[in-house]
Amino acid sequence: MSKKTASKRPKSPSSAKGAARASREPVSASAFLPTTRAEADARGWDQLDFVYVCGDAYVDHPSFGAAIITRVLESHGYKVGFIAQPDWNDSESIAVFGEPRLGFLVSAGNMDSMVNHYTVNKKRRHDDAYTPGGRGGARPNHAAVVYSNLIRRTFKKTPIILGGIEASLRRLAHYDYWSDSLKRSILMDSGADLISYGMGERSIVEIADGLAAGLSVEDLTFIDGTVFRTRSLEHVVDYEMLPSWEEVSASKRAFATSFATQYRESDPITGSRLVEAYPHGVYVVQNPPAAPLTQNEMDAVYRLPYARTWHPSYDAAGGVPALSEVKFSLTSCRGCFGECAFCALTFHQGRIVTGRSHESLLEEARAMTAEPDFKGYIHDVGGPTANFRGPACAKQRTRGACVDRRCLGTKPCPALKADHRDYTGLLRKLRCLPGVKKVFVRSGIRFDYVMADPDPDRTFLCELTAHHVSGQLRVAPEHVSDAVLSAMGKPPRAVYDAFCEAFDEANRAAGKNQFVVPYLMSSHPGSTLAEAVELAEYVRDVGFNPEQVQDFYPTPSTISTCMYYTGLDPRTMEPIYVPKSAREKAMQRALIQYRNPANYDLVREALVRAGRQDLIGWDEQCLIRPIRPKKRDGEGEAPRRGASGRNGKVSKSGKPSRPGAGRPGAADKGGKPGKGSLPKAGSPRRPGPARPERAGKPPKANGRKGGIRKGR
């Protein structure tokens, strides 16, 4: 019941209130589904069919899963009311509309509530981009469970259907990072009757039609894309029995085996029904995934009458910050065959990619240009992966994705159809629309898919570089060690290096001076201190000074999370090294940011532990000096000579430094790059030959002499 996996938290800008008040045109509450009894009465609705209870504020925009599901139900003739962020300590907060005729629909929102609340270090976040004004604390931990229990205490027999990313990825036994323990299927703890998992448009309509036809919720055991609880398997056919709750609780190997089976059976065409046994004769049954929408069906979903903004009751608080990330963006596709090990998209959206038609996207873009606060910039045209527009190969639609072969992974499948012509044509049409000044691609591209395209002229890359990048192109190599990249399911480093060279060539041809800026991840399973040092040396050699580094975050239902918990790679059942201690994770992160004097002690300890004291010294290849640098500027960090600035200051080269984008090709409403870090003009993106060193010369890229080194 969620539109897409939210892999990163949207920003909650401090200026959200002022910007919202300045740009928003008044929108009547009648453009939304009812949120109060009075609004339902105004429509003449004595009793609603469904009440949707959500952990997010009410934003009626197709980037929000709640908006899609409620509008889909409305389009099928059902009366739906919306309760956003109820007070979980007050039963009256979910009784606004009384008892619905058919059931309650419950979602934690566009993000798992625990990811929303806590950093990877388990520190509480103070903001929430999905709440009016960006304030935190408007939803409980494990929100889907808490809301469902509240409803069950108040309405004893009313059907409760869970959906959204939180329920979808917790539908069977799963590892919970925040409690460092296994948790049962969310059905067992919530008291709900069904889970609609994955992209829920098909399953939610079948559930609604079944209930409306007079079937009890206990009879709805036949719908693809759902999970139900039962005490008898007499009528459950063609299923595969997973290791029981007792088995996975007692054995990490059993859990890894169970996860491997779930991953293998995640295809809507070839996937089997799965059964997980619990004590006292209870079984949780997962039906096969629902089939992905066809292009026509997807177009119809995005043609529904969304208000495309937040509910007017939030105006006084400044609106909902998360909307600013997506308001002027277009969702062009669903699904992802990239299969990064740390991503849950395979479990949620699936591997079969469906793209919307050009006509549908152009229609939405034209409507966008009519918005009073549209400034001429379409901020993104993409999805989980922007440059995927259809199935990886011809057979996926009819025979499903391969069980024993990856489409991309560490090496493209021979059957992969790498073709950017459709996407290139779409971008051309969009940038020619009246009122459109610039079309950006921000949701990320798979650089290995670009390199697999047989087009000798690299037409897509040339046009991307010339028209759709705002100074920087963010891509996600994540690491440079081939051993770690293999564990991640990513291509070898050589592919990234080749892409950077191709991007440089395209920039030269276009007469532009743009940069590839990589997302980097520390502490992923498979990364020892040796691999972390290798990544630090890469950062040194390319002159990249990352301001932010993402520690691996073990979220539910990913291959990497299974590795983290079990110490086994579920794809091979072979042991894999997992950095778990807070100290080691801090060291791996500090190595990537070794130029920050505040990290000196951690970097030194890491180098000593890794046996790399050769990187402690005075020559230019060393990461740190033998003597701790003094802290300056009152912030624990010395000035970084030549580093990219965040306020337009002049760098050592004499050229104004440009702030980097937080996401691929990021642009603000003025089409300017957003914040981040930027390699110095002309700096290479992969190491060149070592330069001769002068005796006693301190390293340029560390300590008080920190900064981004000149290109070789």
Side-chain angles (χ1 to χ4, degrees):
M1 292 161 64
S2 172
K3 176 193 171 283
K4 63 185 284 189
T5 299
S7 59
K8 302 188 186 322
R9 298 177 77 247
K11 300 172 186 174
S12 184
S14 58
S15 60
K17 292 186 180 182
R21 291 193 181 108
S23 62
R24 175 182 162 95
E25 290 291 313
V27 177
S28 170
S30 62
F32 296 77
L33 297 172
T35 60
T36 66
R37 181 69 256 177
E39 291 172 0
D41 289 341
R43 296 192 178 203
W45 294 357
D46 294 330
Q47 185 181 31
L48 278 66
D49 296 318
F50 290 101
V51 173
Y52 196 108
V53 178
C54 188
D56 290 344
Y58 183 18
V59 181
D60 191 34
H61 187 282
S63 289
F64 291 72
I68 287 183
I69 294 301
T70 53
R71 288 298 187 183
V72 165
L73 285 170
E74 179 190 46
S75 72
H76 283 77
Y78 292 102
K79 302 172 184 176
V80 185
F82 203 105
I83 299 177
Q85 300 185 317
D87 180 351
W88 61 93
N89 296 308
D90 182 6
S91 60
E92 290 300 313
S93 67
I94 50 88
V96 171
F97 299 104
E99 183 177 21
R101 182 173 70 95
L102 299 178
F104 281 94
L105 309 176
V106 178
S107 169
N110 262 26
M111 291 179 68
D112 186 290
S113 58
M114 300 304 287
V115 178
N116 182 284
H117 283 171
Y118 297 98
T119 69
V120 67
N121 294 321
K122 302 183 183 179
K123 293 182 179 179
R124 184 80 182 199
R125 304 186 199 270
H126 300 295
D127 61 345
D128 182 349
Y130 291 96
T131 296
R135 65 184 177 87
R139 78 187 84 209
N141 289 348
H142 300 290
V145 170
V146 174
Y147 293 152
S148 186
N149 284 330
L150 180 64
I151 294 168
R152 183 58 71 220
R153 289 195 299 270
T154 308
F155 300 97
K156 305 296 184 184
K157 300 295 183 182
T158 311
I160 301 174
I161 297 95
L162 299 183
I165 193 74
E166 182 166 290
S168 182
L169 300 183
R170 296 173 181 266
R171 58 189 184 257
L172 294 171
H174 57 280
Y175 173 70
D176 181 77
Y177 171 68
W178 303 272
S179 63
D180 191 24
S181 64
L182 286 189
K183 284 189 174 292
R184 305 183 299 174
S185 164
I186 197 171
L187 271 184
M188 302 295 291
D189 294 329
S190 65
D193 298 286
L194 284 175
I195 298 171
S196 168
Y197 72 88
M199 310 308 286
E201 294 97 338
R202 289 192 189 282
S203 58
I204 200 61
V205 171
E206 289 190 59
I207 291 168
D209 290 347
L211 293 171
L215 295 177
S216 70
V217 71
E218 291 82 7
D219 294 330
L220 300 180
T221 62
F222 54 86
I223 299 173
D224 286 348
T226 63
V227 181
F228 63 93
R229 187 176 55 245
T230 183
R231 288 189 173 274
S232 172
L233 297 178
E234 182 180 352
H235 301 294
V236 180
V237 297
D238 298 329
Y239 63 84
E240 182 167 351
M241 184 67 75
L242 298 172
S244 68
W245 169 252
E246 289 98 331
E247 290 174 306
V248 298
S249 299
S251 167
K252 291 184 177 181
R253 179 169 286 273
F255 179 80
T257 299
S258 177
F259 184 86
T261 301
Q262 295 172 46
Y263 196 85
R264 186 176 65 247
E265 303 299 336
S266 60
D267 185 81
I269 297 173
T270 63
S272 300
R273 189 168 287 102
L274 302 176
V275 175
E276 192 171 67
Y278 286 85
H280 312 298
V282 177
Y283 301 94
V284 171
V285 182
Q286 174 186 295
N287 286 317
L293 299 182
T294 65
Q295 185 175 86
N296 287 340
E297 290 169 333
M298 198 167 164
D299 288 352
V301 164
Y302 284 87
R303 200 176 290 122
L304 295 173
Y306 305 100
R308 302 190 66 83
T309 187
W310 60 72
H311 193 274
S313 61
Y314 307 140
D315 284 351
V320 181
L323 180 63
S324 65
E325 293 282 308
V326 295
K327 184 173 183 181
F328 297 120
S329 297
L330 298 169
T331 299
S332 67
C333 61
R334 281 187 184 176
C336 184
F337 49 78
E339 292 188 273
C340 297
F342 47 81
C343 179
L345 276 168
T346 297
F347 261 57
H348 189 61
Q349 291 197 12
R351 290 170 62 187
I352 300 176
V353 174
T354 301
R356 289 170 62 190
S357 70
H358 290 198
E359 293 73 19
S360 173
L361 288 157
L362 290 167
E363 178 185 342
E364 184 176 355
R366 291 187 191 99
M368 195 181 288
T369 62
E371 295 276 349
D373 51 344
F374 181 72
K375 306 300 183 184
Y377 300 96
I378 295 177
H379 294 165
D380 188 25
V381 183
T385 299
N387 54 327
F388 291 173
R389 284 281 296 158
C393 66
K395 82 173 189 65
Q396 283 192 348
R397 280 287 184 190
T398 56
R399 289 183 283 166
C402 298
V403 172
D404 57 350
R405 183 179 294 176
R406 307 280 75 83
C407 302
L408 276 172
T410 57
K411 184 179 181 181
C413 172
L416 175 71
K417 182 182 179 182
D419 189 342
H420 289 84
R421 287 176 295 182
D422 179 76
Y423 189 47
T424 302
L426 170 63
L427 293 173
R428 287 171 179 168
K429 293 175 183 177
L430 287 168
R431 66 179 185 251
C432 289
L433 286 177
V436 173
K437 299 176 183 177
K438 193 84 171 178
V439 179
F440 296 104
V441 176
R442 300 178 62 197
S443 55
I445 63 168
R446 281 293 295 237
F447 59 84
D448 49 345
Y449 188 69
V450 173
M451 300 309 292
D453 192 328
D455 176 11
D457 298 323
R458 300 202 186 281
T459 306
F460 167 70
L461 185 58
C462 290
E463 295 206 9
L464 176 76
T465 304
H467 301 289
H468 305 291
V469 177
S470 178
Q472 297 182 20
L473 179 68
R474 282 269 186 180
V475 294
E478 307 293 356
H479 214 281
V480 297
S481 163
D482 285 351
V484 179
L485 291 169
S486 178
M488 290 177 164
K490 302 284 285 185
R493 172 181 169 177
V495 180
Y496 174 66
D497 288 343
F499 172 80
C500 290
E501 291 294 339
F503 183 77
D504 283 347
E505 184 179 340
N507 270 282
R508 286 192 293 270
K512 291 180 175 287
N513 190 26
Q514 301 179 128
F515 308 94
V516 171
V517 179
Y519 283 115
L520 300 175
M521 183 184 293
S522 62
S523 305
H524 188 276
S527 177
T528 68
L529 283 175
E531 283 77 29
V533 171
E534 184 179 348
L535 183 54
E537 291 184 286
Y538 169 81
V539 167
R540 174 202 65 198
D541 292 338
V542 299
F544 179 48
N545 191 14
E547 293 183 354
Q548 292 182 335
V549 175
Q550 175 63 57
D551 270 356
F552 167 63
Y553 201 155
T555 55
S557 295
T558 71
I559 293 174
S560 299
T561 299
C562 182
M563 293 179 191
Y564 178 88
Y565 172 63
T566 65
L568 299 169
D569 186 334
R571 297 165 296 192
T572 63
M573 297 305 292
E574 295 294 325
I576 188 167
Y577 177 79
V578 178
K580 279 196 172 183
S581 74
R583 187 70 177 177
E584 181 176 357
K585 289 197 287 186
M587 285 191 289
Q588 292 209 19
R589 182 172 60 253
L591 279 165
I592 305 176
Q593 297 175 307
Y594 71 87
R595 295 184 179 96
N596 183 347
N599 289 334
Y600 180 87
D601 290 339
L602 283 168
V603 173
R604 186 182 185 98
E605 181 182 349
L607 293 175
V608 171
R609 282 201 195 183
R612 294 300 307 274
Q613 290 92 329
D614 59 301
L615 295 175
I616 303 172
W618 296 100
D619 67 62
E620 196 162 293
Q621 293 303 307
C622 292
L623 299 183
I624 58 172
R625 296 169 175 168
I627 301 172
R628 180 186 295 105
K630 293 180 180 179
K631 295 181 179 180
R632 298 176 62 185
D633 286 354
E635 296 182 353
E637 184 170 352
R640 297 195 298 271
R641 185 179 64 190
S644 59
R646 296 183 65 134
N647 356 340
K649 294 181 180 178
V650 176
S651 68
K652 184 183 175 186
S653 67
K655 299 178 182 179
S657 57
R658 291 178 290 173
R663 296 174 62 187
D668 58 21
K669 289 184 179 179
K672 301 175 184 177
K675 294 182 178 180
S677 56
L678 180 66
K680 197 173 183 179
S683 64
R685 290 151 191 84
R686 62 171 179 164
R691 293 190 295 181
E693 306 298 338
R694 286 178 289 175
K697 183 181 178 182
K700 285 186 178 180
N702 108 93
R704 293 174 60 187
K705 298 293 185 181
I708 293 182
R709 292 163 55 188
K710 290 182 179 180
R712 296 186 174 93

